[in-house]
Amino acid sequence: MLSKFEPMRLLSILASFTALGTMSILAAPPPAQPEATSTVPAASAEQGKDVVHQLNNAFAKVFEVVAPSVVIIEISKKGESEGSAFDDLFFQGPPDENNPRRSPRNPQPIQSEGSGFIVRTDGYIFTNFHVVEAADKITVKLKDGREFSAKVIGTDEKTDIAVIKIDAKDLPVVQLGDSDAVRVGQFAFAIGAPFKLDYTFTYGVVSGKGRSKLIATGGYSISDYLQTDASINPGNSGGPLCDIDGKVIGMNTLINGLNRGLGFAIPINMAKEIGTELIAGHKIVRPWLGIRIETLGDDPSVRDLFKGVDKGVIVRTIEADAPAYKSDLRPFDVITHVDAAAVTTDSQLQHEILKKKVGQKVELTVWRKGQTMKIPVTTGELPSEISRASNEPIQPGQPKQEELGKFGLQVQDLSKEMAERLKLGVQQGIIVTDVADNSIAAAQGIEHEDVITEVDGKPVTNVRSFREALNKADPKRGVLLYLDRKGNKTFAVLKAGGG
């Protein structure tokens, strides 16, 4: 597409030219000695200028090639009393008289603007889900000044990808690159409408790859974002991130505050895969085990309890009625392999599961208390929402509560009637009735109405057996509690001193 040259070589020459230019200035004689000449050969200076001109033309060419395929998306939706879940993380316009923030006192229609890019000549456009979420009206503006009404073809909230369509033909389309081949340090260009300044063009480099956990939906983070220092701001959302050849390598979607030099884009390979499925009218389904996990070593407070295993992924929680709930997997297990693939981080494990099909049996290699075992689990379909039942307060007149002062816990025996009334997942154990603020228990995430079923792997059925188990445990090493939380299985480690 663009003129063929080597951008990094040009930068090297440009740097040399700049350095030479600096030497020339430093070496220049004072005004009283006009007969002195420059230390830079004229040919080198002219060559340096040629390089700058080539680089300048190459940058301008990226904009000229890509901009006609970029669209500005204006949306209108009814005023809401609460902000979107994405408000703190995703692009949004600054509050002013033309773009009021959502407020119970300000229910006027919300006007906002985002970006997108045309991927098919018949009007299909990629953008972000959060750009068009809950929109009552979508208007698309083209670079040539034409405006069209658009309709949503499909969305995938978990990757923040959406496809919209306008009724038009013979439209200019972007060229899609290969985000897997992107290298850290290469040029990156963004085009969009930051702060309603349409077709703003900025450049920088790809400053990182594989950035995950920037936002998780229901504890489930899917995208491994590209990171760039190209200036992107509110309104760039859904617009393209391009390479020096004018090929789209990502869809801009996240910023880390304003003017911090950190922007993030969904890799275009993922956007293309999801977008193609949405255009075909297919529902996006993903495999799911129903576990919340963390990389072994992320929490140093529990590291001493895993002597005998160096790498793996800890099972923190097993969701109620999830596929893993129906298997022999337990909280505190350490998963080291998914089928034959070794996993050492939570992201690796999740990516291995995403490669599977819904309903496929996978074999997990698990370390548990010094032993290695194989546990089969059949994947399920990732639900659209993963939610927990809301807590209900403990009613007065219950059995006597006992306080475990050093840990900040208040507990009581769990009766069958209480378990039924609170719709708990178990009917035996002790129930947490209160957790003191800033206590060891609070620091470990123990919650009101958690049911403690085991201490260090041994069942507890009442407060007395629980107290006896704690007395036998070593609080300096850490006391492992198995918990049932409204049907979810999880664990906590109580350690003297909180760490």
Side-chain angles (χ1 to χ4, degrees):
M1 290 178 59
L2 306 182
S3 58
K4 295 182 179 179
F5 63 94
E6 299 179 24
M8 298 312 296
R9 177 176 173 273
L10 293 178
L11 275 185
S12 177
I13 298 174
L14 178 60
S16 300
F17 170 71
T18 303
L20 289 171
T22 303
M23 291 173 57
S24 173
I25 294 172
L26 294 176
Q33 300 175 344
E35 68 278 2
T37 59
S38 171
T39 59
V40 181
S44 296
E46 287 303 316
Q47 182 185 23
K49 289 180 182 179
D50 289 342
V51 170
V52 175
H53 289 151
Q54 289 182 54
L55 197 60
N56 185 65
N57 291 336
F59 282 16
K61 188 68 174 179
V62 172
F63 179 79
E64 292 166 2
V65 168
V66 179
S69 305
V70 177
V71 303
I72 308 303
I73 301 173
E74 295 181 342
I75 70 116
S76 176
K77 55 186 170 182
K78 297 175 182 177
E80 300 176 13
S81 59
E82 295 181 1
S84 165
F86 294 116
D87 276 355
D88 292 335
L89 287 173
F90 288 104
F91 297 120
Q92 55 177 339
D96 56 39
E97 64 275 8
N98 297 319
N99 184 26
R101 285 274 192 249
R102 301 176 187 179
S103 167
R105 301 175 184 174
N106 188 20
Q108 296 100 338
I110 298 171
Q111 306 287 332
S112 62
E113 195 168 86
S115 307
F117 47 94
I118 304 168
V119 294
R120 278 182 31 173
T121 58
D122 54 350
Y124 286 91
I125 296 165
F126 284 2
T127 187
N128 285 148
F129 163 76
H130 77 267
V131 169
V132 297
E133 180 186 9
D136 294 316
K137 182 180 179 181
I138 304 174
T139 301
V140 169
K141 297 193 301 183
L142 304 187
K143 185 71 167 60
D144 59 16
R146 288 182 291 169
E147 294 188 8
F148 297 87
S149 293
K151 63 180 180 179
V152 176
I153 298 300
T155 63
D156 182 42
E157 181 178 0
K158 288 182 172 59
T159 54
D160 195 33
I161 294 170
V163 177
I164 62 175
K165 188 180 186 305
I166 59 176
D167 187 11
K169 296 180 180 179
D170 301 323
L171 297 174
V173 299
V174 296
Q175 276 197 296
L176 302 182
D178 179 6
S179 51
D180 291 340
V182 168
R183 295 182 299 166
V184 174
Q186 74 175 60
F187 281 127
F189 305 85
I191 304 177
F195 302 116
K196 297 188 177 182
L197 299 172
D198 296 353
Y199 293 95
T200 294
F201 179 68
T202 57
Y203 81 94
V205 298
V206 174
S207 54
K209 291 181 63 177
R211 303 304 195 202
S212 60
K213 304 179 188 177
L214 298 177
I215 183 169
T217 305
Y220 208 80
S221 177
I222 295 174
S223 295
D224 278 341
Y225 298 92
L226 299 176
Q227 178 183 311
T228 181
D229 67 351
S231 181
I232 50 180
N233 287 292
N236 278 102
S237 239
L241 187 71
C242 308
D243 63 14
I244 190 67
D245 295 314
K247 294 181 179 179
V248 178
I249 57 175
M251 178 194 294
N252 296 320
T253 189
L254 288 167
I255 54 173
N256 183 7
L258 300 182
N259 301 316
R260 292 183 182 176
L262 287 178
F264 300 92
I266 300 166
I268 197 60
N269 290 4
M270 171 173 283
K272 180 181 178 181
E273 178 184 352
I274 299 299
T276 300
E277 291 293 304
L278 294 175
I279 290 173
H282 297 160
K283 176 185 176 183
I284 306 299
V285 295
R286 296 185 176 88
W288 181 58
L289 296 184
I291 57 178
R292 296 179 187 262
I293 53 180
E294 73 176 34
T295 302
L296 179 64
D298 280 357
D299 185 354
S301 67
V302 301
R303 190 65 183 87
D304 291 342
L305 297 176
F306 293 99
K307 296 296 185 183
V309 60
D310 296 324
K311 297 179 180 179
V313 181
I314 304 171
V315 179
R316 292 285 326 190
T317 301
I318 300 177
E319 307 283 352
D321 299 323
Y325 191 90
K326 303 167 187 175
S327 73
D328 293 329
L329 197 67
R330 301 195 68 196
F332 211 67
D333 284 349
V334 178
I335 300 172
T336 59
H337 291 77
V338 176
D339 290 330
V343 290
T344 59
T345 68
D346 48 9
S347 295
Q348 285 181 349
L349 190 151
Q350 185 165 283
H351 288 165
E352 286 300 319
I353 297 301
L354 286 171
K355 295 177 184 178
K356 310 300 181 182
K357 296 180 180 179
V358 174
Q360 181 177 346
K361 182 178 288 186
V362 297
E363 185 178 70
L364 305 179
T365 302
V366 168
W367 179 94
R368 181 188 295 169
K369 298 179 183 177
Q371 296 184 333
T372 299
M373 58 189 69
K374 306 286 187 179
I375 297 179
V377 184
T378 300
T379 65
E381 180 183 334
L382 177 66
S384 57
E385 291 186 7
I386 305 172
S387 59
R388 274 181 45 203
S390 59
N391 288 335
E392 299 178 25
I394 296 286
Q395 299 295 324
Q398 297 296 332
K400 180 181 177 183
Q401 303 174 6
E402 291 201 28
E403 186 170 359
L404 302 169
K406 63 181 177 181
F407 294 124
L409 275 178
Q410 196 171 71
V411 298
Q412 71 179 52
D413 292 345
L414 176 65
S415 66
K416 182 178 180 180
E417 293 75 20
M418 186 187 304
E420 291 177 351
R421 177 172 53 79
L422 296 177
K423 299 179 181 179
L424 302 178
V426 291
Q427 294 189 348
Q428 194 172 54
I430 62 170
I431 188 167
V432 176
T433 57
D434 193 26
V435 180
D437 293 339
N438 303 317
S439 64
I440 295 174
Q444 283 299 313
I446 297 179
E447 298 180 6
H448 172 67
E449 291 185 5
D450 281 351
V451 177
I452 302 171
T453 59
E454 297 181 24
V455 176
D456 284 339
K458 297 178 180 179
V460 292
T461 57
N462 51 44
V463 172
R464 185 182 68 179
S465 62
F466 179 56
R467 185 178 292 279
E468 290 174 353
L470 286 183
N471 290 335
K472 293 178 182 178
D474 182 2
K476 292 184 179 180
R477 179 173 179 267
V479 183
L480 174 63
L481 306 183
Y482 284 90
L483 308 173
D484 188 285
R485 180 173 294 160
K486 297 294 186 181
N488 296 340
K489 298 176 182 178
T490 186
F491 72 87
V493 176
L494 300 179
K495 198 170 185 180

